[in-house]
Amino acid sequence: MATPAIAVVYYSGSGHTKVLADAVVSAAAATGATTALLRVDDLTQESWDFIDQADAIIFGAPTYMGTAPSAFHAFAEKTAGRWAVQKWHNKLGAGFTNAACKAGDKNSTLDYFSTFAAQHGMNWINLGLLPGWKSTKGTENDLNRFGYFNGAAAQTFSDVGVEGVHPADIATAEHLGRRVAQMAAIFAAGKTALDRELVSAGA
């Protein structure tokens, strides 16, 4: 199967979201994918080149005031030139977020990520998990413990350090990384097969 390239593009203020970003990129890399963990306010030309060439881009940021923080929005605005020529057209996209509250309007951030990806002509990969912790038989240790579908959503109390990121949220982030890597491998293999077919047809 083709080896995909996956960029995990994130912002983290207190370090909680970086724990999730590390989990996403590690799980994706474990499948054999080529990966890069890229912080939005520290992008070099090499970082942008990797993003432009990647098969999939996974966006991550905490939820502040009902959306991603300003640093992520600044990154999004810098992609306007790429949007104009649809440079990321047909790439795969996915997202994850974290908030101090159990709800915390995290779905607004995931919706923002998916809309941003759609504007670039990307194809969104959902979490692909049924909700956990939805009955008395479930626990807070279930994958997807808050029942989000559009991406991975975590909750970390504001007064704890990075060690306070919940293990179930880390595991859910790992699931997202593996899922995107697997979908990207299928997508890349399909493109390779199609290219070969077109070459054969033209020969």
Side-chain angles (χ1 to χ4, degrees):
M1 187 172 286
T3 301
I6 299 173
V8 179
V9 182
Y10 80 101
Y11 175 75
S12 181
S14 61
H16 299 146
T17 305
K18 185 179 184 300
V19 173
L20 302 174
D22 288 337
V24 170
V25 77
S26 295
T31 70
T34 300
T35 61
L37 182 61
L38 306 170
R39 185 176 163 115
V40 295
D41 54 353
D42 191 29
L43 297 178
T44 64
Q45 185 56 52
E46 184 179 3
S47 302
W48 283 107
D49 290 343
F50 188 93
I51 295 169
D52 290 340
Q53 295 164 14
D55 297 286
I57 308 172
I58 305 176
F59 304 112
T63 295
Y64 291 165
M65 305 303 291
T67 186
S70 60
F72 192 95
H73 282 269
F75 155 76
E77 290 181 13
K78 290 177 183 177
T79 69
R82 289 167 168 81
W83 166 81
V85 297
Q86 291 291 277
K87 193 174 185 68
W88 294 352
H89 189 74
N90 279 340
K91 290 183 184 296
L92 303 182
F96 60 95
T97 189
N98 180 70
C101 300
K102 291 188 183 298
D105 292 324
K106 292 187 282 288
N107 206 55
S108 296
T109 302
L110 294 174
D111 284 347
Y112 164 65
F113 288 156
S114 63
T115 299
F116 173 58
Q119 289 177 335
H120 279 280
M122 298 169 65
N123 301 298
W124 194 252
I125 304 298
N126 58 48
L127 185 59
L129 281 175
L130 290 172
W133 205 13
K134 65 182 185 297
S135 73
T136 56
K137 295 179 181 179
T139 75
E140 65 174 325
N141 297 310
D142 292 343
L143 287 179
N144 194 21
R145 64 190 179 123
F146 297 120
Y148 284 79
F149 293 94
N150 210 21
Q155 182 264 333
T156 310
F157 293 116
S158 60
D159 57 351
V160 300
V162 296
E163 73 283 352
V165 179
H166 200 286
D169 294 339
I170 294 173
T172 301
E174 291 171 340
H175 169 85
L176 180 68
R178 283 191 299 271
R179 175 168 166 77
V180 173
Q182 290 163 357
M183 295 300 101
I186 293 170
F187 196 73
K191 288 196 297 184
T192 299
L194 181 59
D195 288 343
R196 286 175 181 166
E197 183 177 320
L198 292 174
V199 169
S200 296

